Amino acid sequence: MEIKIGEHSVKVRDGSYVTIPTMWLFDENLSPQDLQRLVKLWWRYDYFRNLNPEGGEEVFFPSQKSLCHLFGLSEKSQPKVSEFLSKMEKLGYIRRIRSGFKDSSGNAKPRHYIIVNRGTNA
């Protein structure tokens, strides 16, 4: 299976799997759709963390557009993505660090890191 990440494709080995915290399965605050999105978010976060093991937690800064694609939503669904992220942050499953950088032209650009708190309610 291939999964698209931005302009790149990642080949996922047949038979590979994701381990998730049991509390995610039994949290009545998570709809089945929320759980699926949270698992996909965890997989993507873990992918980038494994690419940059020296990077610490701040390795994953997806755009709203890329999260729409990850969750199988149209690009017009960015408000749904924002709502989901806010809910996951409120429940303690993710942390967002809002920061920014300047591009090569000196323009300020946002960079919002997402950290998935796997196994703990931070």
Side-chain angles (χ1 to χ4, degrees):
M1 171 171 65
E2 285 194 6
I3 298 173
K4 201 150 173 64
I5 297 180
E7 300 298 317
H8 306 289
S9 290
V10 175
K11 186 162 176 83
V12 177
R13 241 178 338 121
D14 288 342
S16 63
Y17 58 91
V18 175
T19 304
I20 63 168
T22 305
M23 71 179 168
W24 291 5
L25 290 175
F26 294 100
D27 186 339
E28 294 182 4
N29 295 303
L30 295 178
S31 68
Q33 195 170 44
D34 287 340
L35 178 60
Q36 182 185 39
R37 289 177 182 160
L38 185 57
V39 171
K40 286 180 176 183
L41 194 63
W42 162 250
W43 181 86
R44 182 70 63 90
Y45 170 70
D46 195 47
Y47 172 81
F48 284 106
R49 213 177 61 193
N50 287 327
L51 279 181
N52 184 10
E54 305 300 317
E57 292 181 317
E58 296 178 15
V59 294
F60 180 48
F61 47 93
S63 67
Q64 291 278 326
K65 182 178 170 182
S66 71
L67 290 176
C68 285
H69 291 287
L70 177 66
F71 299 151
L73 300 170
S74 76
E75 291 180 17
K76 294 178 182 177
S77 297
Q78 291 181 25
K80 285 183 183 180
V81 170
S82 292
E83 183 180 311
F84 167 75
L85 293 175
S86 293
K87 180 179 179 180
M88 294 305 103
E89 192 169 31
K90 184 177 177 185
L91 291 171
Y93 292 131
I94 69 167
R95 244 180 337 122
R96 289 188 279 184
I97 299 173
R98 291 164 177 86
S99 65
F101 69 100
K102 289 192 178 185
D103 67 13
S104 59
S105 302
N107 299 317
K109 301 281 184 178
R111 177 173 286 169
H112 300 169
Y113 293 96
I114 296 176
I115 298 159
V116 179
N117 301 317
R118 186 173 180 250
T120 60
N121 271 351

